[in-house]
Amino acid sequence: MRRPQTFEGWQVWDLALRLGGQLRVVPGAVIGWDLGAALALAAALGIAPLVAAELLPEIEAVMVQKLNGAVEH
Protein backbone atom coordinates (compact mmCIF):
# COMPACT_ATOMS: atom_id res chain seq x y z
CA MET A 1 0.00 0.00 0.00
CA ARG A 2 1.23 3.47 -0.76
CA ARG A 3 1.97 5.98 1.97
CA PRO A 4 -0.35 8.97 2.40
CA GLN A 5 0.80 11.92 0.32
CA THR A 6 -1.12 14.73 2.02
CA PHE A 7 -1.84 15.97 5.53
CA GLU A 8 -5.45 14.86 5.11
CA GLY A 9 -4.28 11.44 4.00
CA TRP A 10 -2.20 11.11 7.16
CA GLN A 11 -5.20 12.17 9.24
CA VAL A 12 -7.35 9.44 7.70
CA TRP A 13 -4.57 6.88 8.10
CA ASP A 14 -4.40 7.76 11.81
CA LEU A 15 -8.19 7.44 11.96
CA ALA A 16 -8.01 3.99 10.35
CA LEU A 17 -5.51 2.87 12.98
CA ARG A 18 -7.99 3.92 15.69
CA LEU A 19 -10.86 1.85 14.25
CA GLY A 20 -9.77 -1.56 15.52
CA GLY A 21 -12.69 -1.70 17.93
CA GLN A 22 -15.21 -0.78 15.25
CA LEU A 23 -15.04 -3.95 13.19
CA ARG A 24 -18.20 -5.49 11.75
CA VAL A 25 -17.86 -9.25 11.80
CA VAL A 26 -19.82 -12.37 11.02
CA PRO A 27 -18.74 -15.83 12.15
CA GLY A 28 -15.40 -16.50 10.49
CA ALA A 29 -15.07 -13.23 8.58
CA VAL A 30 -14.55 -9.50 8.91
CA ILE A 31 -16.95 -7.54 6.70
CA GLY A 32 -15.72 -4.02 7.38
CA TRP A 33 -15.78 -1.10 9.79
CA ASP A 34 -18.82 0.52 11.31
CA LEU A 35 -18.54 3.53 9.02
CA GLY A 36 -21.10 5.51 11.02
CA ALA A 37 -18.83 5.24 14.05
CA ALA A 38 -15.79 5.95 11.86
CA LEU A 39 -17.31 9.16 10.53
CA ALA A 40 -18.35 10.22 14.04
CA LEU A 41 -14.77 9.66 15.24
CA ALA A 42 -13.47 11.58 12.23
CA ALA A 43 -15.70 14.52 13.14
CA ALA A 44 -14.55 14.38 16.77
CA LEU A 45 -10.94 14.46 15.60
CA GLY A 46 -11.59 17.40 13.28
CA ILE A 47 -11.12 15.41 10.07
CA ALA A 48 -13.17 16.64 7.13
CA PRO A 49 -16.07 14.19 6.62
CA LEU A 50 -15.70 14.34 2.83
CA VAL A 51 -12.05 13.31 3.05
CA ALA A 52 -12.83 10.46 5.46
CA ALA A 53 -15.73 9.29 3.29
CA GLU A 54 -13.51 9.28 0.20
CA LEU A 55 -10.48 7.54 1.69
CA LEU A 56 -11.76 5.13 4.35
CA PRO A 57 -13.47 2.70 1.93
CA GLU A 58 -10.18 2.22 0.06
CA ILE A 59 -8.33 1.46 3.28
CA GLU A 60 -11.23 -0.66 4.54
CA ALA A 61 -11.14 -2.91 1.46
CA VAL A 62 -7.46 -3.74 1.99
CA MET A 63 -7.99 -4.24 5.74
CA VAL A 64 -10.85 -6.69 5.13
CA GLN A 65 -8.82 -8.64 2.59
CA LYS A 66 -5.76 -8.87 4.87
CA LEU A 67 -7.68 -9.76 8.05
CA ASN A 68 -9.78 -12.41 6.32
CA GLY A 69 -6.64 -13.87 4.78
CA ALA A 70 -5.10 -14.10 8.25
CA VAL A 71 -8.26 -15.77 9.62
CA GLU A 72 -8.12 -18.43 6.89
CA HIS A 73 -4.58 -19.43 7.85
Side-chain angles (χ1 to χ4, degrees):
M1 179 182 281
R2 298 181 311 182
R3 297 175 57 128
Q5 300 295 308
T6 64
F7 175 71
E8 293 83 2
W10 281 108
Q11 285 183 307
V12 174
W13 183 251
D14 179 63
L15 173 63
L17 295 176
R18 296 170 186 251
L19 293 175
Q22 300 303 322
L23 290 175
R24 295 173 50 218
V25 298
V26 296
V30 174
I31 59 173
W33 284 313
D34 177 343
L35 288 179
L39 292 175
L41 181 56
L45 294 171
I47 299 170
L50 177 62
V51 174
E54 285 286 334
L55 297 178
L56 278 179
E58 298 290 330
I59 299 169
E60 180 187 41
V62 174
M63 178 274 302
V64 166
Q65 180 184 26
K66 297 292 184 179
L67 285 180
N68 285 329
V71 169
E72 290 176 7
H73 295 8

